[in-house]
Amino acid sequence: MPLHPRALPGGSPPPVGEVGLDSHWDRRVKGGRVEPDLTLDLHGHTLDTAYDRIMSALDQARGMGARVVLVVAGRERPVDPADRMARRGAIRAKLLDWLAASRHADAITAVRRAHIRHGGEGALYLFLKRR
């Protein structure tokens, strides 16, 4: 079986969200015409609680047959000494790694930055496979 063109060395599957969407979905994302079936806001959570929350939300989304999940996690921010060691954007920085290593990785077809009306750089759409 041929490998996906973006597969990792050794034949492992492509990273979460690298498989892609068909042109219909891509046009809808770019035009802001995607309506999430479930929205998850991770503001105010610690890394541990955010991880638990995203996993349980994906369980719920898959159980209800959702196709699009909006995850609002905030924007990644560069390290700034003025933050006085406060870790800003830590959830957003870890999110893709969590998804790729999760039990839900095989159910996620694509991950895209949300349209500005849904949070822009601070949010992501997770596209789930049909059952």
Side-chain angles (χ1 to χ4, degrees):
M1 176 190 303
L3 291 176
H4 184 277
R6 297 182 83 170
L8 299 174
S12 56
V16 170
E18 291 296 316
V19 174
L21 298 174
D22 62 27
S23 60
H24 167 76
W25 279 104
D26 274 331
R27 283 192 305 271
R28 288 180 65 191
V29 169
K30 289 177 185 171
R33 294 185 314 271
V34 171
E35 288 301 324
D37 299 308
L38 180 72
T39 299
L40 174 64
D41 189 344
L42 298 175
H43 282 103
H45 286 273
T46 65
L47 287 172
D48 290 335
T49 62
Y51 177 83
D52 292 340
R53 184 70 184 100
I54 188 81
M55 292 304 124
S56 64
L58 286 173
D59 286 333
Q60 177 185 354
R62 291 177 71 186
M64 63 188 249
R67 295 292 313 278
V68 181
V69 177
L70 175 67
V71 179
V72 181
R75 283 181 256 169
E76 285 185 84
R77 297 183 184 169
V79 176
D80 182 358
D83 284 338
R84 299 181 188 229
M85 303 306 286
R87 295 189 60 196
R88 293 184 171 197
I91 293 171
R92 177 70 169 82
K94 294 276 190 187
L95 188 58
L96 293 178
D97 291 336
W98 289 344
L99 295 171
S102 77
R103 64 184 176 272
H104 301 290
D106 62 338
I108 299 171
T109 301
V111 178
R112 296 288 186 273
R113 182 182 325 154
H115 189 269
I116 191 69
R117 73 186 189 100
H118 287 134
E121 291 181 26
L124 296 172
Y125 298 123
L126 307 181
F127 293 90
L128 303 178
K129 291 180 182 176
R130 292 179 199 250
R131 283 189 189 180

